[in-house]
Amino acid sequence: QVRLVQSGGDLVQPGGSLRLSCSASGSIIVIYGMGWYRQTPGKERELVATVTSDGNTNYADSVKGRFTISRDNAKNTVYLQMNSLNPEDTAVYYCNANVKFSHLLIRRTGISWGQGTQVTVSS
């Protein structure tokens, strides 16, 4: 069992900043890629940013230059620093991770999702 717990969602004004965090726990052997996604009602879940186990990053065009994804492997945690926020960034943000874990002494690999956190950008 692998759990991802998120924190950091809030109501912020346009132009403001926010930092989301997502920590994984459980019988983790190694975490490969980690990422952030977001979703608003009536829209598909959108990939925001990803980071590989060796630190390579990718960003959606809509957030490039404003958001930064990072990870602390010692803490099994991924972060999303969001700057210059605008109302179009309003969404529920989800983290995920591709995790190799131990279950009944057997190694398995699968994707785990966080519970989601609301980010609202409004004046």
Side-chain angles (χ1 to χ4, degrees):
Q1 183 179 2
V2 177
R3 298 173 298 278
L4 271 61
V5 179
Q6 302 178 218
S7 64
D10 206 349
L11 170 66
V12 297
Q13 294 185 351
S17 297
L18 204 60
R19 180 161 127 132
L20 307 181
S21 64
C22 172
S23 296
S25 62
S27 301
I28 298 169
I29 299 173
V30 65
I31 301 178
Y32 300 113
M34 306 185 80
W36 289 94
Y37 296 72
R38 65 187 182 186
Q39 187 170 27
T40 58
K43 295 179 62 179
E44 295 181 343
R45 187 168 296 186
E46 173 190 23
L47 189 150
V48 176
T50 60
V51 58
T52 66
S53 59
D54 58 358
N56 291 320
T57 59
N58 285 99
Y59 297 91
D61 288 340
S62 59
V63 307
K64 193 172 299 181
R66 299 187 298 119
F67 290 10
T68 302
I69 188 171
S70 61
R71 62 191 289 171
D72 186 336
N73 291 331
K75 298 181 178 180
N76 291 329
T77 299
V78 62
Y79 305 93
L80 186 68
Q81 178 66 48
M82 303 183 292
N83 298 325
S84 301
L85 286 162
N86 59 65
E88 293 182 348
D89 297 316
T90 296
V92 177
Y93 284 71
Y94 300 87
C95 63
N96 80 345
N98 189 21
V99 184
K100 178 182 287 185
F101 60 98
S102 176
H103 178 64
L104 302 177
L105 304 180
I106 303 298
R107 297 175 182 177
R108 302 178 186 272
T109 301
I111 297 174
S112 182
W113 288 89
Q115 81 278 15
T117 186
Q118 178 70 48
V119 172
T120 301
V121 185
S122 177
S123 60

